[in-house]
Amino acid sequence: MDAILPRMMEAAGVTEELKARDPMRWVGLMNTPKAQAEEVLFQELIYI
C-alpha cells in the first residue's frame, strides 16, 4: 500500500498543496486512489 498509493495520488493530482488549499476536494480525490490501491492489494494477496 505504501508503494502503490503515492504513485496513484500523483497521477490523480492529489497533492499536499491541494490539501491545504481545498481540503474537501482533496478528500474527494483521495478516496479514488485509496480504493484502487486497496483493490490491487486484495486481488494480489487474497484472490490469487
Side-chain angles (χ1 to χ4, degrees), residues 15-47:
T15 63
E16 289 298 317
E17 178 187 336
L18 178 63
K19 183 179 181 180
R21 187 174 25 119
D22 190 355
M24 291 302 290
R25 179 164 167 77
W26 181 87
V27 169
L29 289 175
M30 185 63 188
N31 287 337
T32 301
K34 184 177 178 195
Q36 290 173 338
E38 288 175 351
E39 187 63 30
V40 167
L41 290 175
F42 292 153
Q43 289 294 324
E44 290 183 6
L45 297 175
I46 297 172
Y47 300 121

